[in-house]
Amino acid sequence: MTIDDLPKRTGPACAVIYEEGLDLGTFEESVPAWRTWEASHLTRPRLVARAGDCVLGWAALAQVSPRACYRGVTEDSVYVARAARGGGVGRALLEALVERADAAGIWTIQAGVLAGNDASVALHVRCGFRVVGIRERVAEKRGEWRDVVLLERRSELVA
């Protein structure tokens, strides 16, 4: 497995992986158009994990606020292909994302995970995130109110 910057040409493969996560891990009801996704995420770091030509997963960061005081605060997205889950792809992506975020001067990465997605919560904790709370009934998906587990990681390298 290799982890590299996510080139635009892998967008269709990443969209398939995103779609596989619609029921389990994402707040969205459908896969956003590439332009919409691209506009909502930082240009770097955006990562893709591959085995040969096969895309196994992707990870990216989004700015949480346009306010200058939050310029170093982001929210992560980590998606792994259904067939590759449980094989360390998510951990490799999130570790690489954290490393590159540190290098880019990002001081906090936060994650909001739908309650019940225990694998994602565990992944984040293994990668240095801490649970800071649960927002109760804050996300409505398919007519059901869902709790969201909030996690964050504060960089030790960025003052």
Side-chain angles (χ1 to χ4, degrees):
M1 175 177 53
T2 60
I3 296 179
D4 298 303
D5 290 332
L6 190 153
K8 190 173 186 173
R9 71 177 184 278
T10 61
C14 291
V16 169
I17 294 168
Y18 194 110
E19 187 170 27
E20 289 178 348
L22 288 177
D23 288 337
L24 178 65
T26 188
F27 297 91
E28 301 297 334
E29 295 292 339
S30 60
V31 177
W34 174 256
R35 285 185 183 166
T36 302
W37 183 90
E38 191 171 41
S40 66
H41 289 81
L42 299 178
T43 55
R44 294 187 95 109
R46 292 181 184 172
L47 305 175
V48 63
R50 291 187 219 162
D53 291 333
C54 181
V55 175
L56 304 173
W58 60 269
L61 295 173
Q63 199 70 47
V64 300
S65 173
R67 297 167 71 186
C69 62
Y70 296 117
R71 68 190 174 282
V73 182
T74 60
E75 182 173 29
D76 72 11
S77 295
V78 179
Y79 285 79
V80 177
R82 185 175 291 127
R85 291 180 190 156
V89 174
R91 185 170 188 164
L93 278 167
L94 189 51
E95 286 175 347
L97 191 67
V98 163
E99 181 179 307
R100 292 180 189 192
D102 281 347
I106 293 167
W107 58 79
T108 299
I109 302 173
Q110 65 184 35
V113 179
L114 287 173
N117 189 348
D118 298 336
S120 184
V121 171
L123 167 66
H124 282 84
V125 169
R126 279 193 306 273
C127 290
F129 287 69
R130 67 184 182 95
V131 174
V132 294
I134 296 176
R135 298 184 70 196
E136 295 176 356
R137 297 173 38 92
V138 71
E140 189 219 346
K141 185 166 179 169
R142 299 182 182 159
E144 178 184 348
W145 288 101
R146 305 284 303 270
D147 294 348
V148 175
V149 180
L150 297 176
L151 301 105
E152 71 177 14
R153 178 200 176 270
R154 176 74 163 111
S155 175
E156 295 178 5
L157 302 178
V158 181

mmCIF file of all heavy atoms in Angstrom, residues 5-15 34 48 50 55:
data_model
loop_
_atom_site.group_PDB
_atom_site.id
_atom_site.type_symbol
_atom_site.label_atom_id
_atom_site.label_comp_id
_atom_site.label_asym_id
_atom_site.label_seq_id
_atom_site.Cartn_x
_atom_site.Cartn_y
_atom_site.Cartn_z
ATOM 1 N N ASP A 5 -0.424 12.095 -2.410
ATOM 2 C CA ASP A 5 -1.381 13.178 -2.587
ATOM 3 C C ASP A 5 -2.487 12.690 -3.514
ATOM 4 O O ASP A 5 -2.236 11.917 -4.448
ATOM 5 C CB ASP A 5 -0.696 14.404 -3.196
ATOM 6 C CG ASP A 5 0.265 15.068 -2.226
ATOM 7 O OD1 ASP A 5 0.041 14.973 -1.005
ATOM 8 O OD2 ASP A 5 1.237 15.680 -2.701
ATOM 9 N N LEU A 6 -3.698 13.139 -3.262
ATOM 10 C CA LEU A 6 -4.858 12.708 -4.029
ATOM 11 C C LEU A 6 -4.929 13.495 -5.333
ATOM 12 O O LEU A 6 -5.229 14.687 -5.314
ATOM 13 C CB LEU A 6 -6.128 12.934 -3.201
ATOM 14 C CG LEU A 6 -7.417 12.332 -3.717
ATOM 15 C CD1 LEU A 6 -8.355 12.071 -2.548
ATOM 16 C CD2 LEU A 6 -8.098 13.187 -4.743
ATOM 17 N N PRO A 7 -4.663 12.828 -6.458
ATOM 18 C CA PRO A 7 -4.790 13.530 -7.739
ATOM 19 C C PRO A 7 -6.255 13.585 -8.170
ATOM 20 O O PRO A 7 -7.058 12.714 -7.825
ATOM 21 C CB PRO A 7 -3.975 12.658 -8.700
ATOM 22 C CG PRO A 7 -3.988 11.307 -8.100
ATOM 23 C CD PRO A 7 -4.141 11.486 -6.615
ATOM 24 N N LYS A 8 -6.588 14.620 -8.904
ATOM 25 C CA LYS A 8 -7.968 14.814 -9.362
ATOM 26 C C LYS A 8 -8.499 13.593 -10.117
ATOM 27 O O LYS A 8 -9.664 13.249 -9.999
ATOM 28 C CB LYS A 8 -8.046 16.060 -10.239
ATOM 29 C CG LYS A 8 -9.443 16.491 -10.562
ATOM 30 C CD LYS A 8 -9.447 17.817 -11.285
ATOM 31 C CE LYS A 8 -10.863 18.294 -11.477
ATOM 32 N NZ LYS A 8 -10.915 19.640 -12.033
ATOM 33 N N ARG A 9 -7.644 12.912 -10.834
ATOM 34 C CA ARG A 9 -8.099 11.773 -11.647
ATOM 35 C C ARG A 9 -8.640 10.615 -10.799
ATOM 36 O O ARG A 9 -9.327 9.744 -11.298
ATOM 37 C CB ARG A 9 -6.987 11.292 -12.565
ATOM 38 C CG ARG A 9 -5.850 10.589 -11.877
ATOM 39 C CD ARG A 9 -4.806 10.068 -12.862
ATOM 40 N NE ARG A 9 -3.782 9.338 -12.196
ATOM 41 C CZ ARG A 9 -2.727 9.873 -11.589
ATOM 42 N NH1 ARG A 9 -2.568 11.174 -11.591
ATOM 43 N NH2 ARG A 9 -1.834 9.108 -11.001
ATOM 44 N N THR A 10 -8.327 10.598 -9.510
ATOM 45 C CA THR A 10 -8.862 9.534 -8.645
ATOM 46 C C THR A 10 -10.228 9.889 -8.077
ATOM 47 O O THR A 10 -10.819 9.110 -7.341
ATOM 48 C CB THR A 10 -7.902 9.201 -7.482
ATOM 49 O OG1 THR A 10 -7.730 10.366 -6.689
ATOM 50 C CG2 THR A 10 -6.574 8.675 -7.973
ATOM 51 N N GLY A 11 -10.735 11.068 -8.434
ATOM 52 C CA GLY A 11 -12.039 11.505 -7.952
ATOM 53 C C GLY A 11 -13.143 10.470 -8.124
ATOM 54 O O GLY A 11 -13.883 10.188 -7.178
ATOM 55 N N PRO A 12 -13.302 9.855 -9.308
ATOM 56 C CA PRO A 12 -14.366 8.861 -9.467
ATOM 57 C C PRO A 12 -14.221 7.657 -8.527
ATOM 58 O O PRO A 12 -15.205 7.200 -7.948
ATOM 59 C CB PRO A 12 -14.236 8.443 -10.936
ATOM 60 C CG PRO A 12 -13.638 9.632 -11.617
ATOM 61 C CD PRO A 12 -12.677 10.204 -10.598
ATOM 62 N N ALA A 13 -13.011 7.161 -8.336
ATOM 63 C CA ALA A 13 -12.805 6.029 -7.424
ATOM 64 C C ALA A 13 -13.096 6.449 -5.984
ATOM 65 O O ALA A 13 -13.682 5.685 -5.212
ATOM 66 C CB ALA A 13 -11.379 5.498 -7.546
ATOM 67 N N CYS A 14 -12.719 7.669 -5.625
ATOM 68 C CA CYS A 14 -12.997 8.173 -4.274
ATOM 69 C C CYS A 14 -14.493 8.351 -4.064
ATOM 70 O O CYS A 14 -15.007 8.111 -2.967
ATOM 71 C CB CYS A 14 -12.251 9.482 -4.040
ATOM 72 S SG CYS A 14 -10.456 9.263 -3.948
ATOM 73 N N ALA A 15 -15.205 8.745 -5.110
ATOM 74 C CA ALA A 15 -16.661 8.904 -5.013
ATOM 75 C C ALA A 15 -17.338 7.566 -4.737
ATOM 76 O O ALA A 15 -18.302 7.493 -3.962
ATOM 77 C CB ALA A 15 -17.213 9.536 -6.291
ATOM 78 N N TRP A 34 -17.883 16.581 -7.613
ATOM 79 C CA TRP A 34 -16.464 16.808 -7.380
ATOM 80 C C TRP A 34 -16.190 18.276 -7.058
ATOM 81 O O TRP A 34 -15.461 18.587 -6.110
ATOM 82 C CB TRP A 34 -15.626 16.354 -8.574
ATOM 83 C CG TRP A 34 -14.176 16.719 -8.410
ATOM 84 C CD1 TRP A 34 -13.509 17.733 -9.025
ATOM 85 C CD2 TRP A 34 -13.223 16.100 -7.528
ATOM 86 N NE1 TRP A 34 -12.213 17.786 -8.595
ATOM 87 C CE2 TRP A 34 -12.005 16.782 -7.679
ATOM 88 C CE3 TRP A 34 -13.298 15.039 -6.637
ATOM 89 C CZ2 TRP A 34 -10.864 16.445 -6.974
ATOM 90 C CZ3 TRP A 34 -12.139 14.698 -5.928
ATOM 91 C CH2 TRP A 34 -10.943 15.394 -6.104
ATOM 92 N N VAL A 48 -4.576 9.758 -0.774
ATOM 93 C CA VAL A 48 -5.197 8.554 -1.306
ATOM 94 C C VAL A 48 -4.296 7.366 -0.970
ATOM 95 O O VAL A 48 -3.075 7.466 -1.046
ATOM 96 C CB VAL A 48 -5.438 8.669 -2.832
ATOM 97 C CG1 VAL A 48 -4.146 8.808 -3.610
ATOM 98 C CG2 VAL A 48 -6.255 7.503 -3.350
ATOM 99 N N ARG A 50 -3.414 3.461 -2.017
ATOM 100 C CA ARG A 50 -3.564 2.576 -3.172
ATOM 101 C C ARG A 50 -2.752 1.306 -2.989
ATOM 102 O O ARG A 50 -1.717 1.300 -2.351
ATOM 103 C CB ARG A 50 -3.036 3.254 -4.442
ATOM 104 C CG ARG A 50 -3.831 4.386 -4.919
ATOM 105 C CD ARG A 50 -3.300 4.831 -6.251
ATOM 106 N NE ARG A 50 -3.363 6.278 -6.249
ATOM 107 C CZ ARG A 50 -2.706 7.062 -7.046
ATOM 108 N NH1 ARG A 50 -1.870 6.555 -7.910
ATOM 109 N NH2 ARG A 50 -2.849 8.351 -6.990
ATOM 110 N N VAL A 55 -7.663 1.985 -5.721
ATOM 111 C CA VAL A 55 -7.813 2.967 -4.648
ATOM 112 C C VAL A 55 -8.481 2.283 -3.462
ATOM 113 O O VAL A 55 -9.574 1.732 -3.578
ATOM 114 C CB VAL A 55 -8.633 4.184 -5.124
ATOM 115 C CG1 VAL A 55 -8.884 5.139 -3.969
ATOM 116 C CG2 VAL A 55 -7.914 4.902 -6.256
#
